[in-house]
């Protein structure tokens, strides 16, 4: 594969080249990994920055409809929009549950939109890196907004929040005491909570849910990266295209404030540090599965299985003899 | 602290000694860690095995009421019952949200029950080890059943399932389309799903929810450790003490079958291997924060922050020079 050629095409906003490049970063093959690294290095200098929006919502809240409506709203403003999915859970169940283009029929045919279905994942550890690299590719391809969606499974919200400038939580109208169903950790990550389905019979329930969350958000510790009024909850109707303009206005206001205050740059910098340490950790753990140490671990593992030694003692035995040495 | 004395008292079912020992394993201090390891080594030979039951349920499903009712049912059968909480989330929010003894007023005053509130966690990485060690202490103290409860946050279910012989998922009656709200990964871990609140106005909703989950469970891949009919869903009412005897009968039947088929021992053996590898991983990562490698990581981290190098390249730079060497 001619990486310089691919790089040039991506910078020229060639969608097919972008799609091929994402396939490349999704590959686990060693030669593909090297090519992907080279490509990303070449594109690093583009200087293009998209607004990266993380979007979390469990199945049933109308996420696809929201992305379709919000995406079309943005392309209507002459923005170029890319949609990516982070879905660690599909690694387990063995198939993609997100990213089906048929869910977003109109948006997927919009020339200013790029929708990437989530790949069927083979190795869980690489999900975050591949998603992050796909975001970088979309940025280099000149997309103004990169929407990264995730379903609320395990640590996927953290992964998405750490690669996003804004983190949105999409909810459906809830019954009376369901407020506690949303985990506090997720609430603390959110910049905005959007209560969807504020239409028809559900409209008043949506408004009550929104008021409940507004109250809950006020109880959270104020974060330095938030201007007055943020994080905030608001109602939208993706079905009826209600509230999307207001939501976008709030997002751009928040972004402008953060850029002015220096929070935008510092967040990107600390995210880079986070990913550096995360890749380092993953890489170190991968090295446990090679060479002499792999053999010793295998032997001790058998002894642990046979009950001849406790798990802690076995781990200690390796750890005391271990030396993380730089050559 | 006299570890031999403490060990003897635990074997003699001294509750205060057990409580002190759990405080010891919860401590992060190095001298405490050494004492804890010595204590666990001494107790390892007790040969006592409890039935470890993991119980997961989000706030609002009536988990405390269920533990109180089910715990009293078990002590009524002359069983000794210990209740522990695994709550990684409290590490984030800085306080214990589980384990309040006042939630289980009757059970906490039962001489055959031991309830341990979850500690206010200081370091997240140690939550699993401390919980596992607390389970081992309760086993050595001769408890017949150790209930390990968790709220559905992040990976806490996996942690609890990996230290349990049985894993129960407690749910509340749900509206029509809420089935998808339970993550598939959690469903796959469950040996039994208990739909609580099958009483009063909610009884018919509970039965519908139970039928829905029964159907969903039938769609899952059959696991070798399950006899016919498992995993299963059933309704209970913790409030009215309905269904507890049936649930217990099913649990004991499942346990008997697994012991007979060899699944009990093989599960405990593979759990020991899991924890060996997990402690090894945590220990290796901790070593990244010491010595020369810590300094180099610090330097590269600054370069990453300043945008002089990509996170991946920086990680690669350390990983290629790294040598996991055993002395």
């Amino acid at each position: 594969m001619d990486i310089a050629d691919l790089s040039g095409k991506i910078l020229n906003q060639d969608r097919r080249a972008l799609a091929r490049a994402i396939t490349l970063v999704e590959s686990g093959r060693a030669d593909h990994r090297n090519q992907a690294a080279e490509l990303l290095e070449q594109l690093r200098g583009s200087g293009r920055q998209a607004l990266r929006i993380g979007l979390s919502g469990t199945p049933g809240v109308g996420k696809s409809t929201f992305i379709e409506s919000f995406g079309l709203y943005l392309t209507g403003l002459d923005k170029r929009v890319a949609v990516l999915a982070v879905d660690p859970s599909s690694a387990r169940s063995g198939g993609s549950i997100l990213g089906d283009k048929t869910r977003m029929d109109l948006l997927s045919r919009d020339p200013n939109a790029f929708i990437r279905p989530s790949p069927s994942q083979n190795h869980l550890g690489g999900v975050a890196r591949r998603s992050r690299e796909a975001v970088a590719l979309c940025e280099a391809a000149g997309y103004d907004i990169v929407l990264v969606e995730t379903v609320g499974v395990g640590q996927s919200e953290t992964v998405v929040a750490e690669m996003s400038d804004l983190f949105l939580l999409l909810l459906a109208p809830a019954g009376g005491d369901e407020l506690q169903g949303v985990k506090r950790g997720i609430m603390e990550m959110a910049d905005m909570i959007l209560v969807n389905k504020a239409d028809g019979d559900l409209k008043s329930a949506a408004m009550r849910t929104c008021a409940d969350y507004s109250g809950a958000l006020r109880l959270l510790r104020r974060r330095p990266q938030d201007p007055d009024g943020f994080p905030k909850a608001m109602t939208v109707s993706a079905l009826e295209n209600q509230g999307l303009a207001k939501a976008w206005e709030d997002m751009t206001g928040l972004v402008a404030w953060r850029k002015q205050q220096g929070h935008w740059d510092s967040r990107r910098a600390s995210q880079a540090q986070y990913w550096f340490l995360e890749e380092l950790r993953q890489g170190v753990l991968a090295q446990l599965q090679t060479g002499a140490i792999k053999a010793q671990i295998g032997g001790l593992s058998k002894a642990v299985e046979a009950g001849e030694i406790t798990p802690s003692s076995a781990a200690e035995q390796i750890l005391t003899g271990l030396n993380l040495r730089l050559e």
Side-chain angles (χ1 to χ4, degrees), chain A:
Chain A
M1 195 177 294
D2 184 339
I3 296 301
D5 177 61
L6 189 59
S7 163
K9 284 178 174 161
I10 290 170
L11 291 171
N12 281 328
Q13 314 193 339
D14 179 329
R15 296 160 61 99
R16 288 182 56 199
L18 175 59
R20 269 200 298 145
I22 294 180
T23 302
L24 183 66
V25 303
E26 283 172 359
S27 168
R29 266 174 53 183
D31 56 334
H32 289 167
R33 289 298 322 145
N34 288 337
Q35 290 181 320
E38 191 188 332
L39 176 65
L40 289 162
E41 198 55 47
Q42 288 191 16
L43 292 171
R44 189 164 65 92
S46 81
R48 289 176 179 165
Q49 260 191 356
L51 170 58
R52 306 171 181 172
I53 303 178
L55 178 70
S56 174
T58 47
V61 301
K63 197 147 37 86
S64 308
T65 314
F66 175 79
I67 293 173
E68 166 119 326
S69 298
F70 188 54
L72 290 170
Y73 172 79
L74 293 173
T75 59
L77 298 177
D78 268 340
K79 304 285 184 192
R80 297 180 72 229
V81 179
V83 180
L84 304 171
V86 172
D87 180 18
S89 69
S90 66
R92 188 163 207 147
S93 51
S96 171
I97 57 169
L98 286 180
D100 186 349
K101 282 193 189 187
T102 62
R103 296 178 312 156
M104 303 168 198
D105 190 40
L106 289 174
L107 189 62
S108 66
R109 285 181 280 150
D110 188 322
N112 281 324
F114 176 86
I115 300 182
R116 178 69 178 192
S118 70
S120 58
Q121 309 287 6
N122 290 316
H123 27 160
L124 190 61
V127 169
R129 181 170 65 189
R130 287 197 296 273
S131 304
R132 202 162 45 84
E133 290 174 348
V135 169
L137 292 172
C138 292
E139 284 199 313
Y143 284 91
D144 302 297
I145 290 121
V146 181
L147 259 173
V148 186
E149 65 159 326
T150 186
V151 68
V153 175
Q155 302 197 287
S156 63
E157 278 97 351
T158 306
V159 165
V160 169
E162 286 293 344
M163 60 179 78
S164 304
D165 304 308
L166 293 181
F167 188 71
L168 310 182
L169 179 59
L170 195 70
L171 298 174
D177 61 348
E178 286 183 50
L179 188 65
Q180 48 192 337
V182 171
K183 295 154 198 162
R184 186 187 168 112
I186 308 291
M187 290 255 295
E188 287 173 342
M189 279 186 240
D191 294 306
M192 289 169 64
I193 289 178
L194 304 178
V195 182
N196 192 22
K197 304 190 182 181
D199 44 50
D201 289 347
L202 289 172
K203 187 159 188 175
S204 59
M207 290 173 71
R208 274 198 308 276
T209 300
C210 180
D212 288 346
Y213 278 98
S214 293
L217 287 174
R218 275 193 296 272
L219 297 178
L220 294 181
R221 209 174 24 248
R222 175 81 176 265
R223 305 175 304 181
Q225 70 269 32
D226 292 326
D228 279 342
F230 283 92
K232 68 164 61 177
M234 58 196 305
T235 57
V236 296
S237 164
L239 201 64
E240 298 183 347
N241 290 303
Q242 294 296 313
L244 301 178
K246 176 74 177 82
W248 176 241
E249 186 188 318
D250 282 346
M251 288 181 223
T252 51
L254 180 58
V255 166
W257 188 85
R258 285 190 182 162
K259 284 188 170 172
Q260 193 193 357
Q261 302 286 322
H263 295 303
W264 173 281
D265 286 336
S266 67
R267 177 159 169 155
R268 287 230 167 177
S270 68
Q271 286 177 338
Q273 286 185 307
Y274 174 91
W275 289 115
F276 160 54
L277 293 175
E278 193 55 31
E279 290 207 15
L280 184 57
R281 285 186 210 108
Q282 296 302 327
V284 170
L285 294 180
Q287 290 194 11
L288 288 177
Q289 292 165 38
T290 56
I293 196 165
K294 180 187 180 187
Q296 181 167 3
I297 290 172
L300 274 168
S301 183
K302 283 205 177 13
V304 166
E305 187 186 10
E308 295 157 9
I309 185 170
T310 65
S312 305
S313 303
E316 203 52 36
Q317 199 164 314
I318 294 207
L319 291 169
T320 51
L322 195 65
N323 188 0
L324 297 189
R325 192 174 284 170
L326 291 163
E327 314 245 288

